[in-house]
Amino acid sequence: MLDDCVCFTRGGAVLWRRRGANKLQGDPIGALVSTVLLEERSGATGGGGSDACFDFVASGGASYRVRWALDNARGLVFAAAHRKALSLPHVPVLLERCREVFGRLYA
């Protein structure tokens, strides 16, 4: 089950967000932005395909896996967070599909 799914601009404006029933511990999406995406702007990291992932451990001990996909043409980021203990092979496909649909609807 996804705990958080979000679409935001590279500038930080959240366009769409859906949170699951479980309350998140910490801010895995915020950690993705501050530790991965901001570094990518300076050329420190690569990636951004739908298979890109980042592991986040909250101060309360919960572990999350955050997967994301970039749409560089539109300056959008699609990200989804779930408990790391869960194996969710459909998340990369979901992110790609979200990217395609947003592209068609808001092009």
Side-chain angles (χ1 to χ4, degrees), residues 40-104:
E40 183 176 278
R41 286 186 182 168
S42 66
T45 63
S50 60
D51 59 343
C53 67
F54 166 72
D55 293 333
F56 171 76
V57 179
S59 59
S63 294
Y64 295 97
R65 172 150 293 157
V66 183
R67 295 190 181 269
W68 75 95
L70 302 176
D71 186 342
N72 288 324
R74 293 175 184 84
L76 299 177
V77 180
F78 300 89
H82 62 85
R83 297 281 177 152
K84 189 176 176 186
L86 300 175
S87 175
L88 300 179
H90 66 279
V91 174
V93 176
L94 173 71
L95 293 173
E96 284 299 319
R97 186 77 174 120
C98 288
R99 185 166 61 175
E100 292 170 9
V101 169
F102 260 78
R104 276 198 316 265

